Amino acid sequence: MPAGPAVDPRGPRFAAIITTVVLAVVLVTQWWPLLAAQTVVFAIGAFVGLKPAPYSLLYRALVAPRLGPPTEREDAAPLRFAQAVGFVFALVGTVGFIAGVAPLGVIATAFALFAAFLNAAFNFCLGCEMYLLLKRFSPARAS
């Protein structure tokens, strides 16, 4: 059972599908306002919470009612960490595009796209795996 708030694991995968599409459009068009909007989406998921995140709201309103109840739940902490990693890459990409350093914008967007695609296509959350590795290898906290 998850230690923190538990979420339906189908929601983050739905969000990853939308994120993949958004980031692919940004990569093709280099339209920084769309990347800035995605940066805000990542920020909400990472720093406010998954429940009020825009793609979570879409999932709960449009998709979840058409599915049965989840058979499992997962801890929100790794997912929020993954959103924070996405936020950093999207922010760097946005700044790169705005500053006229298109290669920086393209590379940062491509990294975020790669991670979102892994989750969307293969249900592999790279940021979640990073979180678990960091947690595993971090020094134990004193009680």
Side-chain angles (χ1 to χ4, degrees):
M1 187 64 153
V7 298
D8 178 348
R10 299 170 297 183
R13 190 158 189 198
F14 172 80
I17 292 168
I18 296 172
T19 302
T20 297
V21 172
V22 168
L23 294 174
V25 169
V26 169
L27 204 55
V28 170
T29 64
Q30 297 186 15
W31 191 45
W32 71 263
L34 183 58
L35 185 56
Q38 180 61 50
T39 303
V40 171
V41 170
F42 281 138
I44 294 169
F47 307 117
V48 178
L50 297 174
K51 192 171 185 177
Y55 301 156
S56 295
L57 295 172
L58 281 174
Y59 173 77
R60 286 196 314 275
L62 303 176
V63 178
R66 291 166 174 71
L67 304 174
T71 58
E72 61 182 312
R73 312 238 348 132
E74 61 185 40
D75 187 3
L79 297 165
R80 288 187 68 176
F81 179 82
Q83 292 288 297
V85 172
F87 168 76
V88 169
F89 279 103
L91 182 62
V92 169
T94 301
V95 169
F97 285 128
I98 290 172
V101 186
L104 178 61
V106 167
I107 291 168
T109 302
F111 275 115
L113 173 58
F114 176 72
F117 176 76
L118 284 176
N119 197 348
F122 304 109
N123 200 25
F124 182 82
C125 177
L126 187 59
C128 299
E129 294 301 321
M130 289 171 48
Y131 172 87
L132 295 173
L133 278 173
L134 289 170
K135 189 169 180 174
R136 181 177 180 186
F137 292 110
S138 66
R141 293 184 179 185
S143 298

